[in-house]
Amino acid sequence: MKKTLMTAMRDSIFEVMETMFFLPVELGPDIMFEKSGIDGGDFLACRLKFAGDTSGKLIIACPAELTAEMAQNFLGEPENRLSKEHLSGTLMEMLNMVCGNALSKISSSEPYTLGLPELIPCSDLDGRTLFTLIETIDSRMAVSLILEEG
């Protein structure tokens, strides 16, 4: 099931990033977060829990510079008019769109429910967790799908 869900998540990332944020992306390698190159700088991280036939959470870590570019494109505002709330709100909305879109593509016996996206402290990210890199022309973000056991 994880492979099916991750494929749907990756497809949704491509769709959402290109249609809502006007940023083409490419799939990068799966890598431990501590080796992603993202954890050394200024970045935002958020998570979204979901439940249904399969339950888990989707986590994204995104450099502040890429988050600002996404917010500018999504909100149509210049960078100098964007607050920290605009940036965090944009990243959480992107995560919500990606997860909702992906889960809608998965057949299930019961409907999936989404929690509320939440910012998480960067220190909460386990450097040994496997993330998939999503590459833009000038940057990259890291996404991890973690399923609950049971």
Side-chain angles (χ1 to χ4, degrees):
M1 179 56 136
K2 184 170 183 171
K3 185 176 180 179
T4 301
L5 256 174
M6 195 60 201
T7 298
M9 292 290 178
R10 289 174 180 159
D11 291 346
S12 292
I13 289 167
F14 290 121
E15 291 174 27
V16 168
M17 289 299 291
E18 290 183 8
T19 60
M20 302 305 294
F21 299 97
F22 311 109
L23 289 170
V25 295
E26 290 184 8
L27 188 61
D30 290 342
I31 193 166
M32 299 294 184
F33 187 70
E34 64 190 10
K35 297 183 180 191
S36 69
I38 294 173
D39 61 342
D42 185 20
F43 70 97
L44 297 171
C46 59
R47 115 182 107 220
L48 178 60
K49 295 178 182 180
F50 60 90
D53 285 348
T54 303
S55 297
K57 59 188 169 187
L58 188 63
I59 299 171
I60 188 165
C62 188
E65 187 175 295
L66 178 54
T67 305
E69 184 178 0
M70 290 168 52
Q72 288 174 61
N73 293 350
F74 186 61
L75 301 172
E77 292 288 339
E79 186 173 6
N80 64 352
R81 295 191 57 190
L82 296 174
S83 67
K84 287 183 180 185
E85 289 77 22
H86 287 116
L87 300 182
S88 60
T90 297
L91 190 61
M92 288 188 293
E93 183 57 29
M94 180 274 233
L95 187 61
N96 194 46
M97 285 187 247
V98 165
C99 195
N101 184 318
L103 293 175
S104 72
K105 297 176 183 193
I106 304 294
S107 62
S108 64
S109 61
E110 61 181 272
Y112 280 98
T113 58
L114 295 179
L116 295 174
E118 58 185 334
L119 283 178
I120 55 175
C122 300
S123 60
D124 280 7
L125 295 175
D126 181 350
R128 296 176 312 264
T129 299
L130 191 63
F131 278 76
T132 299
L133 292 182
I134 307 297
E135 313 260 353
T136 67
I137 292 172
D138 298 320
S139 191
R140 65 172 55 155
M141 68 182 92
V143 178
S144 183
L145 174 64
I146 300 169
L147 299 181
E148 291 178 3
E149 299 292 323

